[in-house]
């Protein structure tokens, strides 16, 4: 076998090539690009947005049943890019993981921990010869509740089991073009290697973020060919100031926004104008 050739070294996932490469894992990354879809995620100051292409491969399909976006909890969702059956199997496991965490601990699973569990599962699939890597890249968005603060989070997990938080990221066929656009938007200042965090407002995140990135990737888009969703916490300048014992609207961020709520004492209270709920919304 000649060095530099993949012949023989890609027959099992547990065999390293002389160059230290795992070809089966590299093939999984290529499987993501062969889906022909591009997904983008951007994190703002108080929200996260993901946008992806949606292709209906057969005219007989019901378009409403074709999606790459999935809700894990009311506060956390993700977009999958790659092989659809792998994506649905992973979503099922993550939902079970989130439900089990809440049952055992009494509060919602943090976004970073969910991303870690997803990455751990993907990494295990690279260690055994009787398994194959998952041909998906997942972009996870959500809102973490830290005391009175609600922090938007954006993570990306790949088939190798690597995960990290991002200010903005992309996955899929036009990943490189989209990342080039994002790097220009998040260009570090002179003399620094750390990308700036522009703290985009919700409107800028939605309107100037993912849509322009896909435009920059020279992808022809129609409204019916796109799916987008976002999670949003209360703006930093807009906090609930009532804090009365009877008003519990701010204490349960996983529910949808309500106009009134009946407290345990029997009184009906309304949230203050600055109180905004967190929810997973898909459009």
């Amino acid at each position: 076998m000649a060095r530099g050739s993949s012949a023989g070294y890609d027959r099992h996932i547990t065999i390293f090539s002389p160059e230290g490469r795992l070809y089966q894992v590299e093939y999984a990354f290529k499987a993501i690009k062969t889906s022909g879809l591009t997904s983008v995620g951007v994190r703002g100051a108080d929200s996260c947005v993901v946008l992806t292409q949606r292709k209906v491969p057969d005219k007989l399909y019901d378009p409403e049943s074709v999606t790459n976006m999935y809700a894990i909890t009311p506060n956390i969702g993700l977009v999958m890019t790659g092989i659809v059956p792998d994506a649905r199997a992973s979503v099922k496991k993550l939902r079970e993981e989130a439900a089990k965490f809440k049952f055992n601990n009494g509060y919602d699973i943090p976004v970073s921990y969910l991303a870690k569990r997803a990455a751990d599962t993907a990494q295990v699939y690279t260690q055994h010869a009787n398994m194959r890597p998952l041909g998906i890249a997942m972009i996870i968005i959500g809102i973490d509740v830290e005391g009175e603060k609600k922090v938007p989070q954006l993570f990306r997990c790949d088939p190798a089991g690597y995960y990290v938080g991002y200010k903005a990221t992309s996955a899929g066929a036009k990943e490189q073009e989209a990342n080039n656009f994002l790097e220009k938007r998040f260009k570090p200042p002179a003399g620094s290697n750390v990308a700036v965090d522009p703290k985009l407002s919700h409107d800028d995140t939605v309107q100037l973020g993912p849509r322009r990135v896909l435009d920059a990737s020279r992808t022809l888009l129609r409204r019916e060919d796109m799916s987008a969703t976002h999670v949003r916490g209360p703006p930093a300048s807009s906090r609930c100031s009532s804090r009365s014992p009877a008003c519990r609207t701010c204490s349960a961020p996983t529910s949808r926004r309500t106009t009134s709520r009946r407290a345990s004492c029997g009184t009906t209270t309304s949230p203050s104008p600055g109180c905004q709920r967190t929810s997973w919304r898909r459009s």
Side-chain angles (χ1 to χ4, degrees):
M1 297 181 187
R3 287 181 177 269
S5 172
S6 64
Y9 296 107
D10 60 351
R11 294 183 180 179
H12 295 284
I13 194 173
T14 55
I15 298 178
F16 281 94
S17 73
E19 293 81 18
R21 299 166 64 179
L22 288 172
Y23 287 105
Q24 289 287 345
V25 177
E26 294 182 15
Y27 296 160
F29 279 91
K30 291 182 180 180
I32 297 172
K33 298 182 182 297
T34 57
S35 65
L37 304 179
T38 303
S39 304
V40 179
V42 176
R43 188 188 72 193
D46 61 352
S47 60
C48 287
V49 177
V50 286
L51 185 146
T52 186
Q53 296 169 271
R54 184 179 65 170
K55 294 183 179 180
V56 181
D58 194 310
K59 294 182 179 179
L60 297 179
Y61 285 3
D62 179 5
E64 295 298 324
S65 65
V66 179
T67 182
N68 293 313
M69 294 187 175
Y70 305 90
I72 304 301
T73 71
N75 278 357
I76 302 174
L78 54 82
V79 57
M80 294 283 196
T81 309
I83 302 175
V84 176
D86 288 1
R88 291 180 176 175
S90 298
V91 167
K92 180 177 180 293
K93 291 181 180 179
L94 292 178
R95 286 173 175 167
E96 292 173 353
E97 187 75 34
K100 182 179 178 181
F101 184 94
K102 186 170 184 179
F103 179 80
N104 292 335
N105 298 280
Y107 60 93
D108 287 333
I109 187 170
V111 184
S112 58
Y113 185 75
L114 183 67
K116 177 182 181 300
R117 294 296 299 164
D120 289 346
T121 301
Q123 205 279 328
V124 168
Y125 277 63
T126 68
Q127 296 181 6
H128 301 279
N130 62 334
M131 297 181 177
R132 65 164 178 83
L134 299 173
I136 52 172
M138 62 179 75
I139 299 176
I140 306 174
I141 62 172
I143 301 292
D144 274 346
V145 180
E146 301 177 359
E148 296 184 359
K149 295 173 58 180
K150 294 181 175 64
V151 183
Q153 300 282 4
L154 174 67
F155 286 86
R156 183 181 187 273
C157 302
D158 60 33
Y162 179 75
Y163 82 101
V164 68
Y166 283 89
K167 299 180 180 71
T169 187
S170 64
K174 298 290 185 178
E175 177 180 344
Q176 189 59 51
E177 291 86 344
N179 282 341
N180 291 339
F181 180 88
L182 290 170
E183 289 173 0
K184 293 178 182 178
R185 183 65 187 267
F186 292 81
K187 186 177 180 180
S192 174
N193 294 325
V194 181
V196 297
D197 191 350
K199 296 295 184 183
L200 301 174
S201 67
H202 176 258
D203 290 341
D204 288 340
T205 305
V206 172
Q207 298 175 10
L208 304 180
R211 180 60 187 270
R212 286 199 174 182
V213 173
L214 287 181
D215 290 343
S217 67
R218 299 177 182 177
T219 304
L220 210 45
L221 294 174
R222 297 178 301 173
R223 183 171 182 178
E224 57 268 24
D225 294 337
M226 295 187 300
S227 295
T229 191
H230 73 282
V231 288
R232 186 182 185 187
S237 59
S238 179
R239 300 292 176 85
C240 181
S241 57
S242 61
R243 296 298 180 190
S244 64
C247 179
R248 299 186 298 169
T249 307
C250 302
S251 62
T254 60
S255 303
R256 293 184 177 86
R257 187 172 181 177
T258 56
T259 56
S260 65
R261 189 182 186 95
R262 186 168 297 277
S264 57
C265 60
T267 60
T268 301
T269 59
S270 299
S272 65
C275 178
Q276 188 167 5
R277 307 300 297 278
T278 301
S279 63
W280 163 264
R281 298 178 182 179
R282 178 179 158 196
S283 58

